[in-house]
Amino acid sequence: MTKLSYFRNLAILLAITLSSCASHSTIGIPAGEEFVLGEGEKSSFRAELKNLSSTTLNVRTIDKITGEQTQGFGLAGKGQTQLRAGRRETVLLSNPTTRAVKVRAKLSKSVEGMRYQQMPETTLSNDSPTKTSLVSGKLLQKDSLLADIDLLERALTEIHPGIYRYNSPESMNREFDCLRAQVYEGMTEAEFMKILAQSIKKIRCGHTYLNPWNMNADLRDRLFGGRIYFPLGFSILNGQFIVTHNASEATGIRAGAAIASINGVSAATILDSLSTIAKVDGNNNSPIPNYLSVSNFDARHWNAFDLYFPLFFPMEDTAFKVTYQNLGEQSTQSVTLKALKKEEREAIMNKRYLDSRPEGSSWSLNLSNPDLAVMRLGTFAIWKWEDFDHTEWFQEAFDTIQQLGIPNLAIDIRGNGGGLSEPRDELISYLIRDKLDCSGASKSLIRTTKVDAAFIPHAKSWNQIIFEGLPPQFYTRYDDTFFELKEEAGCQDIIPKDNRFEGRAFILGGPGNVSATFTLLQKARHYGFATFVGQESGGNQQGINGGEYLFFYLPHSQMEVDIPLKYFAPPGERPDAGVAPEVEITLTQEDIAQGQDPCMDYILEAIK
């Protein structure tokens, strides 16, 4: 670098102020040089970058301690991206061309450590090509995206019952302004989906998200129909990605192995980045590791990791470069694994593992132990199950348990993300001894009794009454914000069954329990009809949103957002947390490696 360029770059650095979403700063990067950002920073930060030139720049992050690259991709001319740098990462913006370029940047905070340096081993070219990501989709027009954001903001602020529970109106206004500021002409569907999901996460409602089941089918196939699926199942424990299942050709990767990196990106960085879209209720972050694990291999299911990993870390080919360490081994291994289609992964998992289908695909009752009946209820989202009557299933199950005289019952709902309240209440009716009435139940509150006509062309719902208008006899004014649903539109008393279970009951649960299974655990703890064994649940004791929904479709991008209509407000003050177990048991890496189930082991020991 010449002395003249040094002083020129120093002047640029002195002029840069990168501290808030509303401010933009332009960085000039000379040919063959790179801009170093965050070298002296000791905490994580987000950087929103827009390439103002017509040529491709290289963006990468390196580990401050090891010097290894942790993220890397090309930022196309006029393109824009959002990058999250961990506390151990330095960001490098490299210009491998023969012309000076400019980048507009916004940071989430003031960042220490900025300078220029010569690119190492640079070969200058008039245009630095980059491969196209496998997951990108169509290009979208900026004005159309801004119109979608405006429509979504209006719908959420007018309808959503919890939008201001954990945010002020001012902070949500700033969030939507930040979202608009990230939109640019020619943005891809994949990039818009990523930043939209990050913004919606800020509401902190586990029932408000971009729902892949409800997404426009053509859009979903365009983005996620290819060979992009990770061939390893894993659980996230204490920040580590621990292998549970292997559908790859690399037989040396064993259950219990820790994944250190994928495509050159550290597991810690992946977790940190994908956490920005993970669904939570309030400030209960316990569900995040479970939500981002790859645990369901049914091709009808959508794992969040499968959707968002290629959006945050664009894939250039149908392969994953994985670094891992088997439990008990000293060395780390590296291997390239073929990416799969969803159907391919399902077929391999079903062939290799008897337990590859998670509990969410069926209900079962194991009566092999004369002292313990094990009832597995993988989901309460049973509305699409053909020829299935949950009332008949429970009646037959409890009749059989009673006839066999089995004294103990374990109800396994781990991984059950909820669904209908009817199977929850039917189950409770076999466990209680006294009626549970609605007097101490949560209040059902709604923001609107009729959806604005402007939203109707873009919305669907299970119940058309919200478009026609709720009859006045169903609700009363609660306060300036909410209407309260009356009893005939709210909960129903739960009456104990004649053949109720009289023995000792346990419920196995954890962070995957949200919605109807969160409230099941909440009632179990409050009324004492079963002992909760496991880990803190998802959901939030300050109340959750759900019950009825608008499935809201943005007209230009075709993105769909689930918007819940009801807030189940608990009586009195409650903590901003999930439901804590009476017996806390944590799964370990060793448990996975050895195929152990410590929760079930505890119950078997407790009933001796």
Side-chain angles (χ1 to χ4, degrees):
M1 185 184 298
T2 66
K3 188 173 183 179
L4 179 61
S5 64
Y6 170 80
F7 284 111
R8 178 196 66 227
N9 292 341
L10 179 62
I12 294 173
L13 287 174
L14 292 174
I16 293 175
T17 303
L18 300 168
S19 60
S20 72
C21 181
S23 66
H24 295 72
S25 296
T26 301
I27 304 169
I29 308 177
E33 296 183 16
E34 57 189 7
F35 183 73
V36 182
L37 177 62
E39 196 170 37
E41 185 55 42
K42 293 181 173 58
S43 60
S44 62
F45 62 92
R46 294 189 307 277
E48 296 169 12
L49 308 171
K50 182 170 185 180
N51 185 355
L52 302 179
S53 71
S54 59
T55 58
T56 298
L57 300 178
N58 295 329
V59 181
R60 58 194 176 102
T61 60
I62 59 173
D63 189 296
K64 295 174 183 175
I65 297 176
T66 67
E68 295 181 352
Q69 180 173 311
T70 52
Q71 302 180 59
F73 54 90
L75 180 57
K78 308 302 180 183
Q80 184 165 322
T81 191
Q82 185 176 82
L83 177 73
R84 187 177 183 90
R87 59 185 179 84
R88 282 180 47 172
E89 291 180 309
T90 298
V91 179
L92 301 175
L93 309 179
S94 305
N95 176 13
T97 73
T98 56
R99 298 184 292 270
V101 299
K102 292 182 178 181
V103 176
R104 188 165 63 193
K106 296 185 297 179
L107 297 190
S108 58
K109 53 175 286 185
S110 297
V111 174
E112 297 293 330
M114 294 182 284
R115 64 182 177 89
Y116 289 90
Q117 66 183 21
Q118 195 74 29
M119 285 183 61
E121 302 179 5
T122 298
T123 301
L124 301 182
S125 64
N126 288 327
D127 186 19
S128 178
T130 184
K131 295 181 181 178
T132 302
S133 171
L134 293 178
V135 181
S136 55
K138 293 181 179 179
L139 300 181
L140 302 170
Q141 295 181 345
K142 180 178 179 179
D143 289 345
S144 296
L145 294 180
L146 293 176
D148 278 359
I149 294 170
D150 290 345
L151 181 66
L152 179 62
E153 179 182 20
R154 184 184 164 198
L156 288 169
T157 53
E158 291 183 16
I159 296 172
H160 197 289
I163 190 168
Y164 300 131
R165 195 171 311 140
Y166 302 102
N167 299 275
S168 66
E170 294 75 20
S171 67
M172 287 310 304
N173 288 341
R174 286 195 298 271
E175 183 56 42
F176 281 109
D177 286 343
C178 285
L179 178 59
R180 292 184 184 92
Q182 296 178 69
V183 169
Y184 59 92
E185 191 67 38
M187 190 175 215
T188 66
E189 291 172 320
E191 183 63 25
F192 183 61
M193 178 177 171
K194 182 184 79 170
I195 65 172
L196 183 60
Q198 288 177 313
S199 290
I200 291 172
K201 157 69 181 281
K202 302 293 179 60
I203 299 173
R204 307 194 76 79
C205 167
H207 288 85
T208 307
Y209 70 118
L210 275 70
N211 189 335
W213 283 275
N214 295 330
M215 182 181 286
N216 175 286
D218 290 339
L219 169 62
R220 187 175 58 208
D221 291 343
R222 251 193 324 273
L223 295 181
F224 309 116
R227 191 165 274 109
I228 61 170
Y229 292 89
F230 197 54
L232 303 177
F234 61 82
S235 292
I236 301 177
L237 307 179
N238 299 318
Q240 289 189 298
F241 291 22
I242 307 302
V243 174
T244 58
H245 297 77
N246 184 354
S248 78
E249 297 175 350
T251 57
I253 305 176
R254 299 194 295 269
I259 299 172
S261 67
I262 303 173
N263 290 350
V265 186
S266 69
T269 298
I270 296 171
L271 179 57
D272 190 38
S273 299
L274 269 59
S275 292
T276 63
I277 58 87
K279 298 189 300 178
V280 296
D281 286 290
N283 294 296
N284 175 17
N285 292 322
S286 65
I288 292 178
N290 179 80
Y291 184 68
L292 297 178
S293 296
V294 176
S295 58
N296 194 325
F297 313 113
D298 188 331
R300 296 166 297 180
H301 184 80
W302 298 95
N303 293 288
F305 176 90
D306 292 330
L307 298 175
Y308 287 99
F309 179 84
L311 302 191
F312 280 83
F313 308 101
M315 298 170 60
E316 296 179 351
D317 51 43
T318 56
F320 294 97
K321 299 174 180 64
V322 177
T323 302
Y324 69 95
Q325 184 176 25
N326 281 319
L327 181 65
E329 296 183 357
Q330 297 298 318
S331 60
T332 298
Q333 308 292 326
S334 295
V335 64
T336 298
L337 308 177
K338 290 193 304 184
L340 303 173
K341 286 192 172 184
K342 286 184 75 178
E343 296 77 12
E344 292 173 333
R345 185 174 67 182
E346 178 188 39
I348 296 171
M349 290 295 189
N350 287 344
K351 184 176 181 180
R352 292 185 182 180
Y353 301 94
L354 293 175
D355 65 338
S356 66
R357 284 185 178 270
E359 292 85 352
S361 61
S362 65
W363 291 10
S364 66
L365 181 64
N366 188 328
L367 303 171
S368 60
N369 186 335
D371 295 320
L372 178 68
V374 179
M375 182 179 290
R376 300 186 187 276
L377 305 172
T379 183
F380 287 160
I382 59 175
W383 49 81
K384 290 186 178 180
W385 290 12
E386 295 182 4
D387 302 322
F388 181 79
D389 187 326
H390 70 275
T391 59
E392 292 182 2
W393 194 94
F394 279 125
Q395 180 176 344
E396 182 178 345
F398 281 98
D399 280 346
T400 303
I401 293 170
Q402 187 178 66
Q403 291 165 8
L404 293 175
I406 299 177
N408 301 287
L409 171 64
I411 304 166
D412 191 349
I413 60 169
R414 290 173 293 183
N416 183 332
L420 299 177
S421 60
E422 287 82 0
R424 175 203 64 193
D425 293 349
E426 188 72 9
L427 171 63
I428 291 174
S429 70
Y430 285 95
L431 302 175
I432 56 176
R433 288 167 172 76
D434 301 303
K435 181 181 75 171
L436 303 187
D437 60 37
C438 292
S439 60
S442 299
K443 296 181 181 297
S444 297
L445 306 180
I446 56 176
R447 290 277 301 281
T448 182
T449 60
K450 183 179 181 180
V451 169
D452 191 295
F455 302 143
I456 294 177
H458 314 295
K460 298 179 182 178
S461 182
W462 294 331
N463 193 342
Q464 295 301 306
I465 197 171
I466 195 64
F467 300 126
E468 301 162 0
L470 200 62
Q473 65 267 26
F474 280 7
Y475 65 88
T476 184
R477 170 62 74 174
Y478 181 74
D479 58 19
D480 292 340
T481 302
F482 292 107
F483 299 92
E484 180 180 357
L485 295 177
K486 294 182 179 180
E487 190 168 313
E488 54 264 38
C491 77
Q492 302 293 322
D493 295 342
I494 303 177
I495 309 299
K497 299 289 187 181
D498 292 336
N499 63 332
R500 63 184 179 273
F501 179 68
E502 298 284 0
R504 185 179 182 185
F506 303 85
I507 297 183
L508 290 74
N513 298 132
V514 297
S515 190
T517 48
F518 157 75
T519 52
L520 171 60
L521 293 173
Q522 197 173 33
K523 291 176 184 294
R525 286 302 313 264
H526 182 73
Y527 294 105
F529 53 74
T531 300
F532 174 17
V533 178
Q535 297 173 275
E536 181 183 1
S537 76
N540 199 292
Q541 292 190 54
Q542 292 188 348
I544 58 175
N545 313 300
E548 301 284 349
Y549 297 86
L550 279 190
F551 306 118
F552 201 74
Y553 292 83
L554 303 184
H556 302 291
S557 64
Q558 294 299 301
M559 298 293 170
E560 186 276 338
V561 180
D562 281 12
I563 303 178
L565 300 178
K566 293 181 183 178
Y567 166 39
F568 301 104
E573 294 292 325
R574 297 295 175 92
D576 185 358
V579 179
E582 292 161 272
V583 180
E584 184 172 7
I585 296 179
T586 302
L587 188 70
T588 67
Q589 183 178 6
E590 289 76 10
D591 291 329
I592 292 176
Q594 297 168 12
Q596 298 296 314
D597 184 344
C599 289
M600 194 61 69
D601 290 344
Y602 166 81
I603 293 174
L604 291 171
E605 185 66 28
I607 65 174
K608 284 184 178 179

